[in-house]
Amino acid sequence: MTVITESQDGITTVTINRPETRNAVDPATARALYGAFVAFEMDETQRVAILTGADGYFCAGFDLKAAGSGASDSWLAGLSIPEGWSDPIADPRPGPMGPTRLMLSKPVIAAIEGPAVAGGMELAAWCDLRVMAEGAVTGVFCRRWGVPLIDGGTGRLPGILGRGRANDLILTGRPVETDEALSLGFANRVCPKGAALATATALARDLTRFPQACMLADHLSARMPPEALAAALRREWQSAAAFVAEGREGAARFAAGKGRGGDFSDI
């Protein structure tokens, strides 16, 4: 199973389970992630979700081997946002990484170990809170491959970091380690290596103890308005043409072994 879902005491834990690819998301995994979070949203017994990855990796982004080979073409082609689509709540659709076009009514916490890069950073930004372990790293690593942010990153990162800091990361694609991620406001909590899931679970337990109607009302009021999110997603999707021009060749270079482990020097 590429996605594992467990529920206990009102907390749903969703784990990306492709450690052989550093939990990169292929189309099947994206579908499974989308389904897991739709199920969480619909389950009235569940109050908080945690998104994490298996074996010390959060998520290395979209599977560039699948993208470079063309194996993901039919999945991406089927994700076009229809003209006039404006409400991601009333008309939820999967994003390339899975749940990134959903606006859930309940909070989601990212428990980050290892890389949360490229589309993995967009997944983390989609979450409401981020717990980041020492030794983890985030960044727009897809910059070097000509693969655009099309899972809400260009809309959500400025909201989390401020426009200037977001521009720095979006334009340069540079790596950001845990301490800097905390100072920038990307990480809400930091913890020792290996403790991200336990820390996120403790935080989730705290959230389940509050009066829920009031907390969820404030949570909804504090979020990006649905129409602004939808506009950002539509604008991003227009950049998908850049992937055809540049990203497929870059993804093929990655699949051939260039730039592994976040190396910028050999791309």
Side-chain angles (χ1 to χ4, degrees), residues 130-153:
R130 284 156 295 280
V131 173
M132 200 165 172
E134 294 292 342
V137 63
T138 191
V140 186
F141 281 19
C142 50
R143 177 59 55 236
R144 73 199 73 177
W145 306 116
V147 177
L149 294 172
I150 50 177
D151 279 274

Side-chain angles (χ1 to χ4, degrees), residues 145-240:
W145 306 116
V147 177
L149 294 172
I150 50 177
D151 279 274
T154 63
R156 293 185 177 108
L157 288 174
I160 295 168
L161 307 175
R163 188 167 303 280
R165 288 173 169 177
N167 283 342
D168 176 20
L169 302 192
I170 290 169
L171 293 175
T172 69
R174 68 180 180 85
V176 176
E177 297 183 356
T178 303
D179 288 345
E180 185 183 6
L182 180 64
S183 69
L184 290 175
F186 184 78
N188 301 101
R189 305 280 194 280
V190 298
C191 63
K193 185 176 181 179
L197 181 56
T199 304
T201 301
L203 178 56
R205 288 197 190 102
D206 287 342
L207 298 187
T208 65
R209 297 188 181 108
F210 293 128
Q212 293 295 293
C214 180
M215 185 186 77
L216 296 182
D218 286 346
H219 173 238
L220 179 61
S221 297
R223 302 182 74 172
M224 181 187 295
E227 59 273 13
L229 174 60
L233 290 168
R234 282 197 303 271
R235 189 170 59 242
E236 279 188 346
W237 197 248
Q238 294 171 359
S239 70

